[in-house]
Amino acid sequence: MIMTTNAIGRSVPLFVQNLGNFKPYAGVFATTPTGNHHATPIRRSPSTGNKLLPSIRESILASGLKSGMTISFHHSFRNGDMLVNMVVNEIASLGIRDITLAPSSLQSVHSALLPHIRSGVISAITTSGLRGELAEVLTRELPLKSPVVIRSHGGRARAIESGELRIDVAFLGASAADVYGNMNGVHGSTAFGSLGYAMVDAQYANCVVAVTDNLVPYPAIPISIPQTQVDYVVRVDKIGDPAGIMTGATRLTRDPLELYIAAQATLVIEASGYFNEGFSFQAGTGGASLAVAKFLKERMAETGLRAGFCTGGSTGYVCEMLHEGYFSAILDTQCFDLAAVESLRTHPRHVEMSASFYANPHSKACTAHITDIMMLGATEIDTAYNVNVLTGSDGIMMGASGGHSDTAAGTKLRLVTAPLIRGRFPIVVDKVHTVITPGECIDVLVTERGIAVNPLQKALAERLKQAGIETVTIEELQWRAEKLTGRPEPLPQSEDIVALVEYRDGTLIDVVRRVI
Amino acid sequence: MIRRYAQAGSLESGDALVHVALAQDEALTIRIKSKVAPRFLASMQSSVREIATELGIMSATIEVMDSGALDFVLRARVTTAIKRSMEASVDE
Amino acid sequence: MSKRLRRSMLFVPGNNPALIIDAAVFSPDSIILDLEDAVAVDQKDAARELVVRALQTLDFGNCELCVRINGRHTPFFADDIRALVPARPHVLRLAMVESPEDIIYTDQFIDHCEREAGLPSGSVKLMASIETARGVTNAAKIAVSSPRLIAISFGAEDFTHSIQSERTAQGQELLFARSAVVLAARAAGIDPIDTVYSNIDDEPGFRADVKAAKQLGFAGKSCVHPRQVAIVHDVYRPTSDEVYKAERVLAAYADALQKGTGVISVDGRMVDGPIVAKAQRIVDIARAAGSGRGVQV
């Protein structure tokens, strides 16, 4: 493979067999888009009957899916998803092979696909994330014809809209749909909330199959995805397992360490200069990052300050803040609990947005470029502030690119909260195993054993100093961690590339190497 | 010298469970199972060996089930397990 | 001259590596590594080894390091002291102290271990926990029984049991005992520390308990969970008004020293030794409390 060094010093290929040419990452906003959006075939609206087909199998046949084509799904059913496995099983039984699987993300429940990967039914995968046994196998072996292509949420939307990623058939699960294909995710027993990750597929796939376990009388309202984009409708008994989809409400962490980190992060936000009337905010979903929302709310209650919009994904907690008037609106790509689904269903200022609206750098506007304050996670961060959220310290894929690099590119204040040590591994390292977000997009690292500000952010560092917040260099944090843990030996890795990491503009920012 | 089987520590996160038993042969055998292997394996093996040597143990089978213990924790657990295994048992 | 603050003393189970490693993160004034109640009888050796190595290895920042050892009449007492003294904890905490003899005996044993370890005599301090009727009755004598003794704490749970009563929310059954411990400590010039509050979910209840303790004259509170530490520091924080007044007193005192004037007066009121000392304490606590807002975990 011919490799080149990109703008952050990572070695990436220029050409990959079965995938084609790639450009190396050249900077956050280095790429200027050209061309038009991908055009889909014009169909005739059925004049009699409806679009309902009796089974998934029938829909695969009707779609004209052949070997070598690309199929897609959304990941809003999270680990309760049943659709991907159902569809791929049927595809296999029909003798179709060499399929490119292009879901918005994959969960550990999709480890059931491994036999189909090994047998060649699926020969390529592009996704935002991988988890569980599937991820472990794909990091240790090369059963596919090409490396997995990892895309951010915004990058996937961009690739689909530009035609770079051509979807032949999109199978889109909905918890409620009508016989003409109008669908939503807010009604029904398998309700999951926002269909944000399905909207781009619905608009640009050549053929769209709506799959539901809840056919409702026409028209299905709200119309999150309209009948004008849907070719066929299939009703199945069960589209997802509610227990795996989401909990009733996301509980705020009670872990004292996470709460301490959150409290420190809150002090940083207050002193940052961005905590002003009408500020917009993206909360995290777990650990310290959601607790920050709670502490900010307490501060807002004391001072009378009010925020603007909340973006990204929604949890019951931020929805409550909307209902109480702390936020002016929620722009939502993904609901994380049933309380959020309820809010989306009922509150007029809680609205769905597509992954493109959220994060596509080549759209006319995306909220990722408008947001003020953002909470981010990290599995690793290096002394150049590059962040990894895809692989763990053992080099095995276990997370997702998600909206991390998208929001970090455009948001004004980018805070990473993380414990300094995770299971004996320092999270601050010389070089992260895989870069998802480049260092120039990260402003502050907040850990329980210290706070570090990116040297590129001199004004911010000064404001924190004025507020009496002690900060240290990131090298100092690394030293503090290694003093406790000892320095780990390098990870045994092979030269083989098991995954390519596309930056949001389609260039290659890094790779994942096979773990031995 | 080792008189009997003993263990110390736990499987809790940040801890290590250390088993010490009489060796079948005259060797010091160290087996480590850890979720932070292989990156800390060499360091862990060397720590276990050091403690065994300090306590004058030349022959034993020491098994460690590690859950991300820092070095001083591993050393503490190995020390305790070896000392327990050196104690006379109740009916001696 | 400022004295060490003991507003918060955070108990950490001595056999729990993860909690020991993170204890200093929450910046309690003191950390109490517990070898006593928190450790099962068959794990005393394991906990002891872990705590000794933790003391030798970890950096606990500015926290005072205490170890609660097993009682004088347990089989673990001697081994605890022998193993711990060379590891140089700041303080050893002895539970269930009922008489000055308990302290004197312990003091002598520590002395012996210090000599064996080649440490200067008096390196390791002592703290006595008074938890019974007999202990309370002897509080004043206990408080002056050794120059090593730097604090006495009150334990409500065992005390209530020893007077054959039950605990109530208002705590009248504890009032005399608490005050007795405070008086004994203050008269001896050492710190009185109040009992633990076990219901970690009841934050308003805890805050009220800490306020009451402060009002009674306690220097600080034993904590069983990190989230209690910030609350204690918040209750003990002087108001900005108190800090302002204290700074003026200290400025007037410094001025008087420089000029050699005998009588100091601030705002028309005479300022003497105890008032200056109190002003210094207030400024010290404010400084230790850091920038304005409490970070509540």
Side-chain angles (χ1 to χ4, degrees):
Chain A
M1 232 182 243
I2 307 169
M3 308 291 282
T4 185
T5 306
N6 68 16
I8 52 163
R10 310 297 287 209
S11 183
V12 294
L14 285 167
F15 173 83
V16 177
Q17 189 80 353
N18 296 319
L19 290 177
N21 292 311
F22 286 94
K23 292 204 176 78
Y25 169 77
V28 180
F29 293 111
T31 306
T32 306
T34 55
N36 297 332
H37 288 130
H38 173 68
T40 54
I42 303 173
R43 305 271 192 230
R44 185 174 62 184
S45 168
S47 52
T48 59
N50 53 45
K51 300 175 187 174
L52 198 61
L53 290 178
S55 66
I56 299 252
R57 191 182 186 86
E58 287 298 317
S59 72
I60 294 170
L61 292 167
S63 73
L65 185 71
K66 291 182 180 32
S67 294
M69 285 190 171
T70 299
I71 60 175
S72 82
F73 304 83
H74 67 75
H75 71 282
S76 302
F77 290 110
R78 295 220 292 285
N79 217 28
D81 178 70
M82 294 166 80
L83 185 58
V84 178
N85 295 343
M86 257 197 281
V87 169
V88 175
N89 284 341
E90 279 302 334
I91 286 174
S93 75
L94 283 166
I96 299 170
R97 298 171 50 75
D98 206 16
I99 294 292
T100 296
L101 182 64
S104 51
S105 197
L106 288 168
Q107 312 291 330
S108 58
V109 71
H110 301 119
S111 300
L113 296 171
L114 276 166
H116 296 307
I117 291 171
R118 294 196 195 285
S119 67
V121 170
I122 294 172
S123 62
I125 295 178
T126 172
T127 174
S128 175
L130 286 166
R131 292 160 180 92
E133 196 199 338
L134 177 64
E136 173 125 25
V137 169
L138 290 176
T139 317
R140 291 193 188 277
E141 301 169 35
L142 293 150
L144 297 163
K145 273 193 188 157
S146 48
V148 175
V149 178
I150 301 289
R151 291 191 168 100
S152 70
H153 291 324
R156 179 178 188 270
R158 176 205 60 78
I160 292 171
E161 290 188 8
S162 69
E164 207 173 285
L165 172 59
R166 300 247 169 113
I167 301 170
D168 294 294
V169 189
F171 295 90
L172 303 177
S175 59
D178 61 39
V179 293
Y180 261 83
N182 296 303
M183 55 175 141
N184 65 64
V186 295
H187 291 295
S189 62
T190 48
F192 51 81
S194 172
L195 266 169
Y197 294 114
M199 291 169 175
V200 179
D201 300 47
Q203 200 178 347
Y204 292 94
N206 283 355
C207 180
V208 176
V209 179
V211 186
T212 188
D213 52 8
N214 178 29
L215 268 178
V216 300
Y218 184 91
I221 286 169
I223 300 171
S224 295
I225 288 174
Q227 64 196 29
T228 50
Q229 293 174 349
V230 177
D231 293 86
Y232 305 107
V233 179
V234 177
R235 197 204 147 274
V236 298
D237 286 334
K238 213 174 168 202
I239 193 131
D241 174 10
I245 297 173
M246 56 180 55
T247 57
T250 311
R251 295 194 63 208
L252 280 172
T253 181
R254 289 165 54 92
D255 180 274
L257 210 65
E258 288 183 328
L259 289 171
Y260 180 83
I261 294 171
Q264 295 290 94
T266 307
L267 291 176
V268 170
I269 290 172
E270 285 177 53
S272 67
Y274 295 104
F275 188 55
N276 305 314
E277 186 64 27
F279 77 92
S280 55
F281 183 72
Q282 180 152 352
T285 54
S289 41
L290 186 59
V292 171
K294 174 186 184 224
F295 293 138
L296 287 178
K297 175 182 161 178
E298 284 168 8
R299 199 68 183 120
M300 291 194 273
E302 278 169 39
T303 58
L305 188 81
R306 290 297 178 263
F309 66 89
C310 175
T311 170
S314 63
T315 54
Y317 197 81
V318 299
C319 293
E320 205 175 73
M321 287 174 73
L322 170 70
H323 305 164
E324 290 167 359
Y326 289 98
F327 285 122
S328 64
I330 296 179
L331 298 169
D332 197 349
T333 41
Q334 185 176 13
C335 298
F336 288 105
D337 56 39
L338 292 173
V341 174
E342 170 73 25
S343 174
L344 179 63
R345 185 166 52 229
T346 55
H347 199 285
R349 295 188 65 81
H350 184 169
V351 296
E352 251 176 323
M353 66 173 170
S354 73
S356 195
F357 186 109
Y358 169 40
N360 183 353
H362 298 170
S363 68
K364 292 182 181 178
C366 69
T367 51
H369 295 182
I370 306 171
T371 311
D372 291 317
I373 298 171
M374 154 113 220
M375 307 303 304
L376 292 156
T379 54
E380 297 179 308
I381 180 167
D382 63 30
T383 50
Y385 286 81
N386 296 313
V387 170
N388 178 7
V389 282
L390 180 64
T391 69
S393 299
D394 56 0
I396 304 286
M397 290 189 277
M398 41 61 80
S401 172
H404 203 282
S405 58
D406 297 307
T407 40
T411 301
K412 297 197 184 52
L413 178 66
R414 297 135 323 171
L415 273 115
V416 172
T417 55
L420 187 60
I421 296 156
R422 254 197 211 106
R424 200 177 174 182
F425 286 111
I427 62 137
V428 183
V429 295
D430 291 341
K431 278 186 169 11
V432 295
H433 287 110
T434 301
V435 178
I436 295 297
T437 297
E440 65 180 279
C441 295
I442 302 293
D443 301 319
V444 192
L445 170 64
V446 178
T447 75
E448 79 286 11
R449 286 167 208 272
I451 298 169
V453 180
N454 192 327
L456 294 171
Q457 303 298 337
K458 291 187 173 34
L460 175 65
E462 187 57 36
R463 285 195 286 270
L464 295 188
K465 187 162 164 229
Q466 292 299 320
I469 296 172
E470 202 197 298
T471 61
V472 294
T473 62
I474 196 163
E475 288 84 0
E476 168 71 24
L477 287 182
Q478 184 183 17
W479 183 82
R480 286 179 186 179
E482 288 184 1
K483 205 171 114 174
L484 277 169
T485 64
R487 206 171 152 83
E489 298 289 316
L491 186 65
Q493 281 179 305
S494 124
E495 287 288 302
D496 299 329
I497 294 172
V498 294
L500 302 167
V501 181
E502 267 193 19
Y503 191 61
R504 42 197 316 242
D505 61 1
T507 60
L508 286 186
I509 191 162
D510 210 342
V511 301
V512 178
R513 295 199 186 265
R514 187 166 67 88
V515 172
I516 298 170
Chain B
M1 52 160 259
I2 309 290
R3 283 171 142 132
R4 59 189 179 91
Y5 168 83
Q7 67 178 48
S10 78
L11 295 168
E12 298 282 311
S13 179
D15 205 346
L17 182 59
V18 179
H19 306 267
V20 173
L22 288 142
Q24 309 293 57
D25 46 24
E26 286 300 302
L28 179 63
T29 307
I30 299 171
R31 273 189 226 113
I32 300 182
K33 225 176 120 181
S34 171
K35 58 184 184 181
V36 305
R39 304 185 67 191
F40 282 106
L41 195 64
S43 153
M44 288 193 278
Q45 274 169 342
S46 134
S47 291
V48 175
R49 201 167 286 277
E50 243 177 72
I51 298 290
T53 308
E54 257 168 40
L55 294 169
I57 301 303
M58 313 287 272
S59 151
T61 303
I62 304 179
E63 243 176 63
V64 177
M65 299 180 66
D66 169 66
S67 305
L70 298 188
D71 190 53
F72 82 90
V73 175
L74 177 63
R75 286 172 182 257
R77 296 330 201 178
V78 173
T79 303
T80 303
I82 290 177
K83 284 186 174 170
R84 284 176 178 177
S85 75
M86 287 166 79
E87 278 165 21
S89 60
V90 182
D91 25 65
E92 262 183 66
Chain C
M1 186 189 64
S2 50
K3 203 175 75 81
R4 186 186 261 285
L5 289 172
R6 291 191 180 92
R7 301 162 297 172
S8 52
M9 303 193 82
L10 178 63
F11 273 98
V12 179
N15 205 26
N16 190 315
L19 293 180
I20 293 173
I21 290 158
D22 287 336
V25 166
F26 305 101
S27 304
D29 290 328
S30 307
I31 291 170
I32 306 174
L33 300 166
D34 192 7
L35 297 178
E36 204 230 0
D37 272 358
V39 179
V41 163
D42 62 348
Q43 300 301 332
K44 298 291 188 188
D45 58 342
R48 187 184 306 126
E49 186 68 42
L50 186 64
V51 165
V52 166
R53 287 185 185 267
L55 290 170
Q56 292 165 338
T57 315
L58 296 175
D59 178 1
F60 290 93
N62 295 324
C63 300
E64 178 177 58
L65 293 170
C66 310
V67 182
R68 181 162 75 168
I69 57 175
N70 290 283
R72 184 184 158 187
H73 302 289
T74 68
F76 314 109
F77 175 79
D79 285 336
D80 283 347
I81 297 179
R82 255 190 234 112
L84 285 165
V85 167
R88 307 202 64 176
H90 297 117
V91 183
L92 292 180
R93 178 162 160 154
L94 193 59
M96 292 292 219
V97 174
E98 298 209 290
S99 70
E101 288 69 46
D102 290 334
I103 296 296
I104 293 165
Y105 178 82
T106 308
D107 185 314
Q108 287 170 348
F109 196 74
I110 294 174
D111 206 54
H112 167 79
C113 293
E114 278 171 345
R115 268 184 275 118
E116 293 238 315
L119 292 169
S121 179
S123 304
V124 177
K125 307 287 182 226
L126 258 180
M127 187 174 164
S129 196
I130 292 174
E131 306 173 50
T132 61
R134 213 176 140 233
V136 173
T137 313
N138 286 327
K141 292 203 200 108
I142 290 166
V144 297
S145 59
S146 163
R148 278 188 208 275
L149 202 62
I150 45 97
I152 47 178
S153 70
F154 174 59
E157 212 54 51
D158 285 301
F159 172 78
T160 314
H161 191 70
S162 82
I163 59 165
Q164 299 188 27
S165 179
E166 261 147 42
R167 291 196 67 174
T168 60
Q170 300 94 312
Q172 301 97 305
E173 67 281 353
L174 305 178
L175 192 52
F176 176 80
R178 269 171 142 161
S179 289
V181 168
V182 170
L183 279 168
R186 295 301 189 188
I190 62 176
D191 286 333
I193 307 293
D194 195 27
T195 189
V196 304
Y197 191 89
S198 326
N199 187 353
I200 56 177
D201 292 322
D202 179 10
E203 281 181 26
F206 178 66
R207 188 176 279 271
D209 195 41
V210 179
K211 281 194 178 131
K214 183 184 174 210
Q215 187 59 37
L216 282 176
F218 279 102
K221 189 94 175 127
S222 298
C223 300
V224 288
H225 191 277
R227 78 156 80 123
Q228 293 183 330
V229 172
I231 296 175
V232 171
H233 292 184
D234 196 44
V235 170
Y236 274 87
R237 180 199 318 280
T239 63
S240 46
D241 198 50
E242 285 174 322
V243 175
Y244 172 70
K245 288 187 177 137
E247 280 169 347
R248 292 188 64 223
V249 165
L250 291 176
Y253 179 65
D255 194 55
L257 272 182
Q258 203 206 25
K259 290 186 180 143
T261 40
V263 174
I264 310 162
S265 153
V266 177
D267 291 339
R269 281 148 124 231
M270 227 183 64
V271 165
D272 59 3
I275 294 180
V276 174
K278 181 181 170 185
Q280 184 67 59
R281 264 198 311 278
I282 287 173
V283 165
D284 286 344
I285 293 180
R287 200 169 291 135
S291 61
R293 283 201 334 108
V295 167
Q296 187 157 322
V297 165

